[in-house]
């Protein structure tokens, strides 16, 4: 049942997100800078993975720019094959190339980084920090690979309020978020995971 419910939630919440007018999405993205730009706990040199928006995703480039001002090194996901994403460093002024899934990012000459903090796109989330991705499992596998290297990046889900659902049916392989940033604020998930 949980697979069907996840698919239903994914489709419903993405339809809600698609319905947000483009100018409203921009305003909501700027609100996220207000709520998260200074509240996200980073130290100079921390590696933060963001993403460049596709479809109706929020544009978090203003948030990423604020984190860079505070000393973060930025990277974005690049799809290598059907099951693998890596995070390439995003340096100001470097040309972006198509990197799969309709998105763009730095080319193969860019450094591959392991994020300390991940800003994670999603299709739906609940208050307890469970997320539904886009169905390909790229982030789950990338996070699992970081865990296997002994790394434990902090995970901040990025979504609009309308993407919240009452409860995500969690499966054993699912990875919980540490916090969720929406246009209403930065909400830390109660239990510390780790």
């Amino acid at each position: 049942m949980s697979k069907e419910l996840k698919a239903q939630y994914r489709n419903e919440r993405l339809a809600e997100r698609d319905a947000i007018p483009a100018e409203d999405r921009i305003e909501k993205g700027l609100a996220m800078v207000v709520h998260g730009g200074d509240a996200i706990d980073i130290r100079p040199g921390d590696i933060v993975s963001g993403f460049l928006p596709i479809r109706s995703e929020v544009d978090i480039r203003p948030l990423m720019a604020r984190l860079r001002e505070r000393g973060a090194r930025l990277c974005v996901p690049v799809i290598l094959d059907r099951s693998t994403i890596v995070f390439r460093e995003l340096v100001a002024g470097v040309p972006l190339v198509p990197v799969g899934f309709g998105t763009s990012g730095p080319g193969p000459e860019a450094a591959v980084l392991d994020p300390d903090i991940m800003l994670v796109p999603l299709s739906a989330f609940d208050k307890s920090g469970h997320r539904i991705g886009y169905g390909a499992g790229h982030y789950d596998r990338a996070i699992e690979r970081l865990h296997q290297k002994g790394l434990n990046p902090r995970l901040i889900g990025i979504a609009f309020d309308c993407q919240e659902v009452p409860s995500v049916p969690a499966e054993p392989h699912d990875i919980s978020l540490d916090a969720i940033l929406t246009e209403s604020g930065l909400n830390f998930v109660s239990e510390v995971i780790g």
Side-chain angles (χ1 to χ4, degrees):
M1 172 59 201
S2 74
K3 269 212 175 350
E4 290 78 14
L5 186 57
K6 274 187 164 178
Q8 179 189 334
Y9 276 159
R10 180 182 294 119
N11 294 336
E12 285 174 359
R13 294 301 164 232
L14 289 178
E16 292 263 339
R17 191 181 77 182
D18 290 345
I20 300 171
E23 57 275 16
D24 289 357
R25 283 203 297 270
I26 292 168
E27 288 304 315
K28 291 173 192 291
L30 294 174
M32 290 183 195
V33 182
V34 172
H35 297 307
D38 293 327
I40 293 171
D41 181 25
I42 60 165
R43 294 177 301 278
D46 276 353
I47 297 167
V48 177
S49 70
F51 54 89
L52 303 175
I54 55 170
R55 301 189 292 271
S56 58
E57 283 178 348
V58 64
D59 185 348
I60 60 164
R61 285 173 292 188
L63 173 63
M64 290 162 59
R66 177 67 191 128
L67 297 177
R68 175 185 274 151
E69 284 171 8
R70 292 179 54 212
R73 285 178 77 186
L74 300 178
C75 55
V76 292
V78 171
I79 293 162
L80 295 186
D81 58 44
R82 289 183 71 84
S83 65
T84 312
I85 57 175
V86 296
F87 297 92
R88 288 184 185 156
E89 185 164 19
L90 186 64
V91 178
V94 167
L96 303 179
V97 299
V99 291
F101 253 113
T103 187
S104 55
E109 63 291 335
V112 172
L113 304 177
D114 289 331
D116 300 302
I117 298 167
M118 299 174 75
L119 307 177
V120 183
L122 50 86
S123 60
F125 70 93
D126 66 22
K127 274 198 180 6
S128 65
H130 295 110
R131 67 181 272 276
I132 301 174
Y134 295 140
H138 283 119
Y139 270 86
D140 289 330
R141 283 190 297 275
I143 293 162
E144 184 55 40
R145 272 197 307 280
L146 291 167
H147 286 169
Q148 284 168 2
K149 291 168 92 170
L151 304 172
N152 195 16
R154 285 176 291 144
L155 309 176
I156 302 174
I158 302 287
F160 296 114
D161 289 334
C162 68
Q163 292 172 255
E164 184 177 338
V165 297
S167 179
V168 169
E171 297 173 58
H173 66 272
D174 288 343
I175 292 159
S176 292
L177 301 165
D178 297 299
I180 298 149
L181 178 61
T182 72
E183 69 269 28
S184 296
L186 176 64
N187 295 300
F188 292 93
V189 175
S190 51
E191 61 201 88
V192 174
I193 67 166

